[in-house]
Amino acid sequence: GGAGNEDLRRVLISSSGLLTLLGTTTGNNFPTTANAFQTTPSNSDYSNGFATKLSSTGSIVYSTYLGGSNWSIEPHTGTITDSGTLYIGGFTYSLYFPEINTSLTWNLYSPSQSCLLELSNDGSSLLFASRIPYLFRVSNVLTKEDGAVLLAGETYYPIQYNGCLYESPLMGFYS
């Protein structure tokens, strides 16, 4: 880690045996790799999320902050596809969270929301990013063979929105 406090939130193991570490850091010198999506911390007032992929020998494949100029996330969970794509479920406090390759429009102004990110298999680019309103905390992310992404978590609002079904007041699913 860097000079700040690191909080490891989740360790993921890919089908090929590679480890990916998800967590947060308060430091501004967390080790990142040259090809990383985000090599410097965000300007947020909160800790910055990170994703670090390790090879089977323990060397760093990639390491990146999870944030932008004025946004960051706290990663809570994730999953790795067979192709190495990383899906991260977390929480953001930012009004500046990017919406990337999503058709969802929520028209909500609260910066404190759950979110889903898709990071490329080499850690260099963010392929998808969306807030997930009404889902208080993402507790699990799963992928299906057909490419669908399922989220499970806590919600206090039993709703259905554009085909997104939240099945109960305490457990939510999204696809």
Side-chain angles (χ1 to χ4, degrees), residues 46 72 91-97 108-114 131:
Y46 301 96
S72 182
F91 199 80
T92 184
Y93 297 95
S94 177
L95 288 170
Y96 303 100
F97 184 84
L108 296 176
Y109 299 102
S110 170
S112 301
Q113 296 173 7
S114 290
R131 294 173 193 266

Side-chain angles (χ1 to χ4, degrees), residues 108 110 112 132-136 153-161 164-173:
L108 296 176
S110 170
S112 301
I132 310 295
Y134 306 112
L135 190 57
F136 177 69
E154 299 172 52
T155 181
Y156 301 110
Y157 305 96
I159 61 165
Q160 184 168 0
Y161 177 83
C164 303
L165 177 63
Y166 293 84
E167 293 189 340
S168 77
L170 296 177
M171 183 64 75
F173 296 90

Side-chain angles (χ1 to χ4, degrees), residues 62-103:
Y62 70 76
S63 187
T64 183
Y65 284 105
L66 298 172
S69 64
N70 284 305
W71 68 276
S72 182
I73 76 157
E74 290 181 6
H76 294 286
T77 189
T79 192
I80 304 168
T81 65
D82 288 339
S83 66
T85 300
L86 174 62
Y87 287 93
I88 302 165
F91 199 80
T92 184
Y93 297 95
S94 177
L95 288 170
Y96 303 100
F97 184 84
E99 301 288 335
I100 298 172
N101 292 326
T102 180
S103 61

